[in-house]
Amino acid sequence: YVATIGAAVALLFIVDRSGEGRIARDFGAGFAGVSALVFVTTIPASAWGQAQCDAFSIVQFAIAALAGAGLAVVASIDAAGRTRLRRIVSVGLLAAALAAVVLLLFPQCLAAPYANLDPRLKELWLDHVDEAQSLFVLLVYNPARVAARYATPLMGMVLLALRLRQGGWRRQDTLVGVLLVVAFIVSAWQVRGSTFSVAFAVIPLSAWIARWRERVEASPSPRTSLRMAAAWLLSVN
């Protein structure tokens, strides 16, 4: 999700340099700096060269440092961000550099998370772990759980889509939207991801309820009160 926020900041910078350039620069510098601080304070010096794909190690540090510092540099250089095309090219080159680092230095981290798991363990153990089930498995064997885990995130995404269609889109909507979509995709792979997708969905749902509450206060009537109550009920998971 940190990578998702970073990608969103870079995208916002590409779209609007005047409003997002300083934010992108500061975010990139802070991201790289914090990553370096975490690396040197939590990883023993003897393990600095050990690549761990599922824990913070030289892999995550190298990617975070390059991505953060690169974004800060791109956002700071006027020639690199003067036009939208230049921003696209600059950020694209940074993305290519990140891809090259992963492909050349840490290709093992591109494998599937359970690539090294014994097929017998997958069949006898992993396939029976509740939180590791996918959306498609739940649709077949436990549809009631689908409603409990996926209805709220879906409603949140629908509300954000309606807001985008109606206008008035804000940068915070972009950040919440990309986090919610990514979390939903993760939850479709494994239901455990719904822990985050439900939490992210609370943001647009609470804003929806707040708007109806404002309408009730501005023009109270049984109809608007019922609609506010319906918004409350639909938001409950």
Side-chain angles (χ1 to χ4, degrees):
Y1 299 113
V2 175
T4 300
I5 294 176
V9 170
L11 178 62
L12 289 169
F13 166 67
I14 290 174
V15 173
D16 178 22
R17 182 198 180 194
S18 61
E20 300 292 336
R22 183 175 180 180
I23 295 174
R25 182 199 66 192
D26 294 347
F27 175 87
F31 188 40
V34 170
S35 298
L37 180 63
V38 171
F39 183 75
V40 299
T41 57
T42 63
I43 308 297
S46 59
W48 282 2
Q50 298 176 10
Q52 302 290 336
C53 299
D54 58 350
F56 192 80
S57 66
I58 186 63
V59 180
Q60 292 77 14
F61 168 62
I63 296 171
L66 177 59
L71 181 60
V73 169
V74 169
S76 300
I77 299 176
D78 181 68
R82 189 172 301 159
T83 66
R84 182 170 296 178
L85 178 59
R86 290 190 180 188
R87 294 194 294 274
I88 292 174
V89 172
S90 299
V91 174
L93 289 174
L94 175 59
L98 289 170
V101 167
V102 176
L103 286 171
L104 297 176
L105 301 181
F106 314 111
Q108 69 274 22
C109 293
L110 295 175
Y114 302 114
N116 295 324
L117 187 66
D118 190 302
R120 292 171 297 179
L121 281 177
K122 184 179 184 303
E123 180 182 355
L124 298 175
W125 167 65
L126 186 62
D127 288 347
H128 301 283
V129 176
D130 286 344
E131 63 179 12
Q133 303 305 306
S134 70
L135 169 61
F136 311 103
V137 171
L138 292 178
L139 283 171
V140 175
Y141 296 104
N142 196 349
R145 196 175 182 194
V146 172
R149 291 287 189 168
Y150 297 95
T152 299
L154 277 173
M155 284 191 59
M157 289 190 291
V158 168
L159 288 172
L160 287 172
L162 290 174
R163 184 176 183 86
L164 177 61
R165 181 181 178 184
Q166 295 168 358
W169 189 261
R170 304 165 300 174
R171 70 181 308 276
Q172 51 265 45
D173 296 323
T174 301
L175 296 175
V176 173
V178 295
L179 285 170
L180 179 54
V181 169
V182 169
F184 186 84
I185 293 172
V186 172
S187 69
W189 171 55
Q190 285 193 343
V191 69
R192 73 178 75 187
S194 62
T195 302
F196 293 97
S197 61
V198 170
F200 292 139
V202 168
I203 300 173
L205 288 170
S206 60
W208 182 42
I209 294 170
R211 286 195 296 271
W212 274 110
R213 185 171 181 177
E214 289 177 352
R215 293 178 186 178
V216 170
E217 292 177 350
S219 55
S221 70
R223 184 177 181 180
T224 53
S225 296
L226 285 173
R227 288 187 174 184
M228 183 186 71
W232 273 102
L233 292 173
L234 290 172
S235 301
V236 173
N237 188 323

